[in-house]
């Protein structure tokens, strides 16, 4: 199994875990009370936001320092390694979809991860880059809006 196939399988497994967790919690089959604690949500949300911001810092750094050529390849590997961590952090933070923004945010995140994985394809992978960037931007904007709402309304 190639690294890309493994990464896509990981993303799809985490997405299915999110969807199944949502359905099971809505029907009362599983209780996710541990994810409702304020300290737990603050720590896991902070880790998730930092990892998303790190992804953007790496991308912006690529634009600024792309003249360095081969040195950027190391940063691409860091960007892709973080992409393995983000879906897990999303599940750790919340194993259920919310409503409105909280329902849209994980879907945009996982769409960004899927399109980002397809960007790594050797042939015609670049055609997925605009979709990856659009969903990544929506994820960042939604995350910052979510952070503002959590801080403002608590």
């Amino acid at each position: 199994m190639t690294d890309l196939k493994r990464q896509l399988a990981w993303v799809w497994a985490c997405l299915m875990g999110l969807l199944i967790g949502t359905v099971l919690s809505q029907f009362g089959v599983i209780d996710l009370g541990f994810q409702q604690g304020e300290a737990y949500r603050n720590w896991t949300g902070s880790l998730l936001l930092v990892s998303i911001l790190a992804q953007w810092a790496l991308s912006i750094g690529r634009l600024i320092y792309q003249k360095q050529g081969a040195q950027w390849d190391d940063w691409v590997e860091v960007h892709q390694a973080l992409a393995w961590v983000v879906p897990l952090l999303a599940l750790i933070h919340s194993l259920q979809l919310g409503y409105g923004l909280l329902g849209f945010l994980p879907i945009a995140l996982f769409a960004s991860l899927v399109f980002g994985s397809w960007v790594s394809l050797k042939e015609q992978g670049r055609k997925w880059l605009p979709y990856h960037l659009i969903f990544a931007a929506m994820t960042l904007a939604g995350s910052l809006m979510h952070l503002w709402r959590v801080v403002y309304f608590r």
Side-chain angles (χ1 to χ4, degrees), residues 90-129:
L91 286 180
I92 290 171
H93 182 58
S94 179
L95 190 59
Q96 48 186 310
L97 288 170
Y99 300 99
L101 174 66
L102 296 181
F104 173 74
L105 192 52
I107 292 171
L109 172 68
F110 281 102
S112 172
L113 291 167
V114 168
F115 288 125
S117 298
W118 289 343
V119 168
S120 302
L121 294 170
K122 299 295 181 203
E123 297 174 14
Q124 299 181 356
R126 301 284 294 180
K127 72 180 180 181
W128 301 109
L129 185 61

Side-chain angles (χ1 to χ4, degrees), residues 1-24:
M1 183 181 281
T2 65
D3 197 40
L4 176 62
K5 286 184 180 179
R6 209 172 302 129
Q7 187 172 12
L8 282 172
W10 174 248
V11 169
W12 283 112
C14 288
L15 178 59
M16 289 299 113
L18 178 69
L19 295 175
I20 291 169
T22 298
V23 170
L24 293 179

Side-chain angles (χ1 to χ4, degrees), residues 46-103:
S46 297
L47 288 173
L48 182 57
L49 182 62
V50 164
S51 65
I52 290 170
L53 290 173
Q55 293 285 63
W56 274 98
L58 290 169
S59 299
I60 292 170
R62 180 179 188 177
L63 292 174
I64 295 171
Y65 297 109
Q66 76 186 93
K67 292 182 180 180
Q68 294 179 353
Q71 292 179 1
W72 179 248
D73 291 341
D74 296 335
W75 291 108
V76 170
E77 290 178 18
V78 173
H79 184 82
Q80 291 173 343
L82 273 173
W84 285 82
V85 175
V86 170
L88 181 61
L89 287 174
L91 286 180
I92 290 171
H93 182 58
S94 179
L95 190 59
Q96 48 186 310
L97 288 170
Y99 300 99
L101 174 66
L102 296 181

